Amino acid sequence: MGANMDAYIVRSCCNTWSELDDYRQWNIQAKASENWRENVSKYISHYEHHRAKNDLNNSHWPADVTYKYIGVNTYQLKLGHSEALEKDKKIISDAAKKENWPYNWLWYDRVNGKLAMSLAIPYTTYGAMAPPEIKFSKLLAKHLDSPKKAKKVLQRWSSHFDEISYNIYILREDLSM
């Protein structure tokens, strides 16, 4: 959903850095880039590569998660906020885990391009995207035993970003491996 309805994301997960060297070597030997230029690129108006690192310590994404849609918040970070952001992310994630927030989620940090972090939440239906009965701010207040402390954490959290955007991605099983 969004402005670029003709956009596709090709995602590969959990590769080591040395596997990227192996992929590059395969690409050269198989002449995959040459094939791309001759047969595909003429139909593409734009493409780009991003690398990201999953933050599994602060995420809650069990191996058996099923989904059709993924809601992704992308946070453009302010310079100098990384250390404070990590502390606040841990407070928020610990609260969600301890208080049994009813969602799975994955935090990941962009390794190249703009300084950005994303939060991905999987859903099986659009209906599952409806806001939960209990707002996260109330859950955080319960966890911290103080609405005032929760408000302070959330205000500080918001101060870490220049921009926040949200997109919904649809898993295309017919295009997946």
Side-chain angles (χ1 to χ4, degrees), residues 57-122:
N57 291 330
N58 289 305
S59 298
H60 176 63
W61 193 286
D64 62 349
V65 170
T66 59
Y67 58 90
K68 176 154 176 81
Y69 308 98
I70 299 179
V72 178
N73 284 296
T74 300
Y75 303 88
Q76 301 295 325
L77 280 57
K78 290 181 180 175
L79 289 176
H81 281 249
S82 294
E83 188 175 332
L85 168 72
E86 289 302 314
K87 288 178 184 175
D88 289 337
K89 181 171 51 167
K90 181 164 178 29
I91 291 168
I92 288 168
S93 296
D94 286 352
K97 289 176 185 178
K98 181 152 182 163
E99 302 298 331
N100 297 313
W101 187 242
Y103 298 101
N104 295 299
W105 67 91
L106 174 70
W107 294 104
Y108 58 95
D109 301 304
R110 195 176 283 178
V111 175
N112 65 309
K114 291 182 181 179
L115 185 60
M117 172 187 73
S118 294
L119 171 64
I121 300 176

